[in-house]
Amino acid sequence: QVQLVESGGGLVQAGGSLSPSCAASGSIFGRDVMGWYRQAPGKQRELVATIDSDGNTNYADSVKGRFTISKDNAKNMVYLQMNSLKPEDTAVYYCYLNWVRVWWGQGTQVTVSS
């Protein structure tokens, strides 16, 4: 059984930074893709960024140049450095793992005040 545990969300003013992280536990081996999605109130869950075992990254256009995703394969951890945050970045951020199947974390709230 795989579990994803996020940490590092919170409240920040516009222009500030946050750096949530996610730890995947369980017997994970081989190639995988980890990343982050987010869901704002009344909206569908959307991609933020993903990274594979080779370090290839994919970002939503809305976060390019502001967010950076990184991954520690040995520790099964994924990180998201979020800079220049905007009020429209406010959402619950979910950790994502695609390995055998898709796994989701419980979510961490990110609130950006104007």
Side-chain angles (χ1 to χ4, degrees), residues 28-72:
I28 302 167
F29 56 90
R31 304 176 63 79
D32 62 74
V33 177
M34 294 189 76
W36 296 88
Y37 281 67
R38 67 186 181 187
Q39 188 166 18
K43 295 187 177 181
Q44 289 189 332
R45 191 172 297 190
E46 63 176 8
L47 168 75
V48 177
T50 60
I51 183 168
D52 68 17
S53 299
D54 293 328
N56 299 305
T57 58
N58 180 42
Y59 293 93
D61 288 342
S62 59
V63 307
K64 283 181 181 176
R66 300 187 298 122
F67 292 10
T68 302
I69 190 170
S70 59
K71 188 174 184 284
D72 185 330

Side-chain angles (χ1 to χ4, degrees), residues 4-19:
L4 303 178
V5 178
E6 302 105 334
S7 61
L11 171 65
V12 66
Q13 288 187 331
S17 299
L18 285 172
S19 53

